[in-house]
């Protein structure tokens, strides 16, 4: 590697520190005070940042002042109020910085990770447009040589945080062009707003031309269209805008149209009596049959995040305002529904245990007619006295009590979870460290399903045997989500502990896609090596822990108007 300039300057209240701090000292700091200095101006044509358009202003027409934080939990969340009007610094770190901003030598894994991430770049007509899923040449590629929308998200965040936004801009525009393609599967035409699951660059050796080939689910295992791709695309557009301070990309007519097409699909009226989004199995990160059909938490949390991001990005013109009104109504209904019916803690578990069934009318307590005998045995030992989480699924006569990491972390980052619920989720992770983290972060789902239930739910899927792949496997990519959630809740020590665990194995094991076993002790039996999102997820986690202001790129502040329901006690009262 060539010689590199080192930036060891501190930000905000750390800038004038006489001595450099190590990470242990940073954990003890009040994160809400790091950004007390006035934010530098954004590169915008508007007078106000788009992030200042709160849901409360849009629903009432008047700005509502935020109340002064009055509790320890709310104080942890003061950081986000500053982050949403502060552009992320875009300072180059990691690959181009051998020392961290705190003067401590960067872990050798960081340089290796940047080298591997850059090898995964895909170019189209001379410009980088994404990263392939994996660089593993020891196995049949299948579709791991393609650029996946969901897989590229941590790569995009790594480049944004490293001051390289052009790659992300190219990706956003190329996938937007693919959205406009006619999409047919077996003579059936998909919705106009569907984003591709992935794409690849095809090279013609004769003409030397390059073309893009997209997959909208017609080539995927199970032939399921990716519901989450459009949500991740809106999330990335907002992350790019936030990180760079440049609103010109989001304001392009084609980007505005792309958002409206995605929103038209998921806000369309139908037979649903719930504000949640009905989805098939295999339409998200858990992209095989795993019993997540119905209203899975991952999709609902991403839906909520995408709606809030779109609210900040849509132009205030005639077309935009129509969607703003629809989004505002849906967000209020969705937040109430999720916080009321998906949340579980010890108090709520005991309530369900005592449910009466066959209740009729709007006064029913057991609104989904859940049979108490359907409660799984493991949940009684798993639920701590202090702690809680959003369960995996809720629908008539069905509650999926499994823990889904991505859905709960996105709930925190999007502020779908209230500050108290976010704290309870962190309490759960700490209380159930062995089960959810073990020896390699982080369980995608807990617990695994096995025996006869595994045969019924997965269709005897040999890749999703117990404690493997989606069925209780450990996925290093989830590190960035955990780290962001930890910083937002003022608990960075949890993230640091998880990252240190991962650093003992990732390079030695050649960056596997996932790990197997109850504790995540074994490299996954079919895991690809040099999995790009494992590499990028680690880098994003490291950069956020080093510079917490990066959190503003991926997190949204709480909207004070979306109050939690009062009728239910929560675990933090114990």
């Amino acid at each position: 590697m060539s010689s590199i300039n080192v930036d060891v300057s501190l930000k905000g209240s750390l800038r004038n520190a006489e001595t450099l701090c190590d990470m242990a000292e940073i954990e003890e700091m009040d994160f809400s005070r790091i950004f007390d200095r006035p934010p530098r101006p954004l590169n915008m044509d508007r007078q106000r940042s788009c992030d200042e358009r709160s849901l409360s202003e849009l629903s009432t027409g008047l700005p509502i002042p935020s109340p002064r934080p009055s509790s320890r939990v709310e104080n942890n969340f003061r950081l986000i109020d500053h982050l949403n009007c502060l552009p992320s610094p875009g300072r180059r770190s990691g690959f181009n910085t051998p020392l961290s901003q705190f003067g401590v030598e960067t872990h050798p894994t960081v340089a290796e990770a940047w080298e591997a991430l850059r090898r995964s770049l895909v170019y189209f007509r001379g410009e980088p447009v994404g990263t392939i899923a994996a660089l593993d040449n020891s196995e049949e590629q299948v579709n791991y040589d393609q650029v996946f929308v969901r897989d590229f998200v941590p790569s995009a965040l790594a480049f944004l945080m490293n001051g390289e936004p052009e790659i992300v801009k190219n990706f956003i525009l190329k996938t937007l062009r693919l959205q406009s393609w006619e999409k047919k599967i077996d003579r059936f035409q998909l919705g106009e707003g569907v984003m591709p699951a992935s794409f690849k660059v095809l090279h013609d050796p004769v003409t030397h031309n390059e073309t893009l080939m997209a997959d909208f689910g017609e080539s995927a295992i199970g032939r399921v269209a990716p519901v989450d791709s459009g949500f991740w695309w809106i999330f990335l557009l907002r992350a790019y805008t936030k990180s760079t301070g440049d609103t010109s990309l989001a304001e392009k007519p084609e980007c505005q149209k792309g958002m409206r097409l995605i929103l038209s699909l998921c806000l369309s009226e139908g037979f649903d009596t719930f504000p949640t989004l009905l989805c098939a199995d295999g339409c998200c990160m858990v992209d095989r049959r795993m019993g997540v059909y119905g209203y899975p938490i991952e999709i609902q949390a991403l839906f909520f995040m995408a709606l809030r991001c779109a609210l900040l990005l849509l132009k205030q013109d005639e077309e935009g305002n129509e969607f703003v009104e629809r989004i505002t109504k849906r967000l209020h209904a969705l937040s109430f529904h999720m916080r009321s019916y998906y949340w579980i803690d010890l108090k709520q578990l005991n309530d369900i245990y005592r449910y009466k069934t066959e209740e009729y009318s709007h006064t029913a307590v057991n609104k989904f007619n859940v049979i108490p005998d359907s409660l799984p045995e493991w949940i009684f030992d798993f639920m701590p006295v202090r702690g809680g989480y959003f369960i995996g699924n809720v629908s008539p006569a069905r509650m999926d009590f499994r823990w889904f990491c991505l859905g709960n972390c996105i709930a925190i980052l999007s502020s779908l979870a209230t500050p108290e619920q976010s704290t309870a989720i962190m309490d759960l992770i700490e209380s159930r460290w062995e089960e959810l983290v073990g020896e390699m972060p982080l369980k995608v789902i807990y617990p695994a399903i096995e025996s006869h239930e595994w045969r019924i739910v997965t269709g005897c899927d040999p890749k999703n045997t117990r404690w493997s792949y989606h069925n209780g496997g450990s996925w290093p990519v989830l590190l960035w989500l955990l780290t962001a959630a930890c910083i937002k809740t003022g608990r960075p020590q949890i993230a640091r502990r998880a990252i240190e665990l991962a650093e003992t194995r990732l390079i030695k094991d050649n960056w596997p896609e996932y790990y197997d076993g109850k504790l995540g002790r074994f490299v996954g039996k079919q895991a690809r090596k040099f999995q790009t999102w494992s590499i990028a997820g680690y880098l994003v986690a490291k950069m956020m822990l080093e510079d917490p202001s990066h959190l503003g790129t991926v997190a949204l502040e709480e909207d004070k108007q979306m109050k939690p329901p009062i009728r239910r006690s929560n675990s933090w009262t114990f």
Side-chain angles (χ1 to χ4, degrees):
M1 293 175 59
S2 59
S3 60
I4 302 161
N5 294 327
V6 180
D7 179 3
V8 294
S9 62
L10 302 182
K11 295 188 179 295
S13 62
L14 297 178
R15 191 178 297 276
N16 297 320
E18 294 180 2
T19 58
L20 296 173
C21 327
D22 61 19
M23 287 307 299
E25 292 172 303
I26 295 301
E27 290 168 8
E28 302 301 322
M29 296 183 61
D30 178 2
F31 280 89
S32 65
R33 303 179 67 180
I34 293 180
F35 308 105
D36 284 345
R37 65 180 175 84
R40 59 187 172 90
L42 302 183
N43 177 23
M44 296 183 176
D45 294 328
R46 305 171 190 164
Q47 290 184 342
R48 297 172 57 209
S49 163
C50 61
D51 279 5
E52 292 181 84
R53 292 171 55 202
S54 72
L55 181 58
S56 56
E57 289 181 65
L58 290 162
S59 57
T60 65
L62 295 172
I64 297 177
S66 299
R68 189 175 183 84
S70 57
S71 68
R72 178 182 64 84
V73 172
E74 288 174 333
N75 278 327
N76 286 339
F77 281 74
R78 287 180 59 204
L79 169 63
I80 308 305
D81 293 332
H82 295 281
L83 290 175
N84 276 293
C85 58
L86 177 71
S88 296
R91 182 181 56 77
R92 302 172 76 87
S93 61
F95 184 76
N96 297 305
T97 308
L99 299 183
S100 77
Q101 71 166 17
F102 301 112
V104 181
E105 185 176 352
T106 298
H107 196 281
T109 307
V110 172
E112 293 276 355
W114 273 111
E115 214 171 295
L117 182 60
R118 294 189 188 283
R119 286 200 305 269
S120 73
L121 282 169
V122 172
Y123 290 82
F124 177 68
R125 298 176 184 174
E127 291 187 331
V129 293
T131 51
I132 62 172
L135 275 168
D136 189 354
N137 297 318
S138 63
E139 300 280 348
E140 184 187 355
Q141 289 287 345
V142 192
N143 56 359
Y144 282 76
D145 61 343
Q146 299 187 28
V147 180
F148 281 81
V149 172
R150 78 170 66 97
D151 289 40
F152 181 67
V153 170
S155 297
L157 295 176
F159 287 122
L160 286 174
M161 293 176 186
N162 202 44
E164 302 176 68
E166 283 303 310
I167 302 171
V168 183
K169 183 177 182 179
N170 293 340
F171 172 86
I172 288 171
L173 291 174
K174 290 297 180 289
T175 48
L176 184 63
R177 179 168 295 184
L178 295 174
Q179 182 198 36
S180 65
W181 283 17
E182 184 181 46
K183 301 173 275 286
K184 280 189 177 180
I185 299 179
D186 293 338
R187 301 182 183 180
F188 179 73
Q189 187 161 324
L190 277 67
E192 192 179 358
V194 173
M195 279 287 184
S198 64
F199 67 86
K200 68 185 301 182
V201 179
L202 301 178
H203 304 268
D204 189 321
V206 178
T207 63
H208 301 291
N209 284 335
E210 291 181 337
T211 55
L212 294 178
M213 179 59 66
D215 175 17
F216 293 92
E218 69 270 26
S219 301
I221 296 171
R223 301 302 187 266
V224 179
V227 175
D228 61 340
S229 287
F231 299 152
W232 282 124
W233 186 87
I234 294 176
F235 171 84
L236 268 191
L237 182 60
R238 186 263 173 188
Y240 171 89
T241 305
K242 182 66 184 174
S243 178
T244 62
D246 173 21
T247 62
S248 62
L249 178 62
E251 290 176 345
K252 284 178 176 288
E254 55 266 40
C255 283
Q256 291 289 311
K257 181 182 177 183
M259 273 191 289
R260 292 195 301 268
L261 288 174
I262 295 169
L263 295 169
S264 293
L265 276 179
C266 57
L267 293 174
S268 59
E269 296 175 348
F271 290 98
D272 278 317
T273 57
F274 314 137
T276 41
L277 202 61
L278 183 62
C279 300
D281 239 336
C283 62
C284 53
M285 179 183 175
V286 183
D287 59 3
R288 296 164 80 99
R289 180 176 163 187
M290 273 294 295
V292 298
Y293 60 88
Y295 305 91
I297 179 62
E298 177 179 329
I299 290 297
Q300 311 316 317
L302 281 171
F303 181 30
F304 186 88
M305 172 67 92
L307 290 178
R308 291 205 63 196
C309 289
L311 205 59
L312 304 171
L313 297 169
L314 285 167
K315 280 187 174 180
Q316 298 185 52
D317 53 19
E318 186 177 346
E319 289 179 299
N321 285 336
E322 178 190 343
F323 278 95
V324 164
E325 185 178 346
R326 294 169 66 187
I327 290 171
T328 302
K329 290 178 181 177
R330 190 64 168 263
L331 280 173
H332 280 289
L334 184 60
S335 63
F336 176 84
H337 184 90
M338 299 298 294
R339 292 169 180 177
S340 297
Y341 306 123
Y342 276 69
W343 182 254
I344 190 166
D345 50 31
L346 191 59
K347 170 65 169 61
Q348 178 62 6
L349 179 61
N350 198 70
D351 288 347
I352 297 171
Y353 179 71
R354 292 168 51 82
Y355 266 170
K356 293 179 174 60
T357 58
E358 306 300 325
E359 292 183 300
Y360 180 76
S361 93
H362 64 277
T363 60
V365 175
N366 185 3
K367 298 191 178 191
F368 296 93
N369 199 36
V370 174
I371 312 301
D373 286 347
S374 69
L375 282 163
E377 290 185 11
W378 62 265
I379 188 70
F380 297 100
D381 293 328
F382 180 72
M383 182 60 67
V385 173
R386 292 181 63 87
Y389 63 103
F390 289 99
I391 63 174
N393 220 318
V394 175
S395 56
R398 179 190 182 209
M399 296 182 83
D400 183 348
F401 291 95
R402 286 178 294 176
W403 154 269
F404 287 78
C405 181
L406 192 150
N408 275 273
C409 287
I410 291 292
I412 293 175
L413 298 182
S414 66
S415 290
L416 170 60
T418 65
E420 293 83 5
Q421 287 173 334
S422 298
T423 296
I425 292 169
M426 289 294 112
D427 288 341
L428 176 87
I429 292 172
E430 282 197 300
S431 299
R432 297 293 175 253
W433 186 265
E434 287 298 305
E435 292 91 337
L436 302 180
V437 180
E439 294 184 19
M440 174 54 68
L442 194 65
K443 289 295 178 196
V444 64
I445 293 174
Y446 181 88
I449 52 178
E450 46 193 321
S451 304
H452 181 65
E453 186 184 8
W454 167 77
R455 294 184 180 90
I456 298 298
V457 172
T458 74
C460 300
D461 187 348
K463 197 167 185 178
N464 274 327
T465 54
R466 63 176 185 171
W467 307 115
S468 180
Y469 203 47
H470 299 125
N471 190 13
S474 299
W475 293 70
V477 64
L478 297 170
L479 271 173
W480 80 264
L481 287 153
L482 174 67
T483 301
C486 288
I487 293 171
K488 188 176 179 188
T489 53
R491 312 272 278 274
Q493 71 278 4
I494 298 177
R496 188 169 73 125
R497 183 181 174 193
I499 290 170
E500 287 173 352
L501 265 179
E503 286 175 335
T504 64
R505 297 281 303 276
L506 288 176
I507 285 186
K508 183 175 67 175
D509 296 335
N510 294 322
W511 304 99
E513 179 183 13
Y514 64 94
Y515 286 78
D516 283 353
K518 235 179 182 180
L519 298 176
R521 183 173 293 174
F522 308 101
V523 174
K525 59 186 176 183
Q526 294 187 43
R528 293 303 193 275
K529 299 294 185 68
F530 295 99
Q531 183 79 17
T532 304
W533 72 352
S534 296
I535 296 164
Y538 165 76
L539 284 172
V540 173
K542 288 287 282 189
M543 283 191 280
M544 280 194 292
L545 202 58
E546 177 186 294
D547 184 352
S549 72
H550 286 309
L551 179 64
T553 303
V554 300
L556 297 170
E557 65 176 303
E558 181 194 13
D559 192 287
K560 306 300 182 183
Q561 292 302 294
M562 290 189 290
K563 299 294 184 185
I566 300 173
R567 65 175 181 80
R568 177 171 300 163
S569 299
N570 294 303
S571 63
W572 50 87
T573 60
F574 283 79

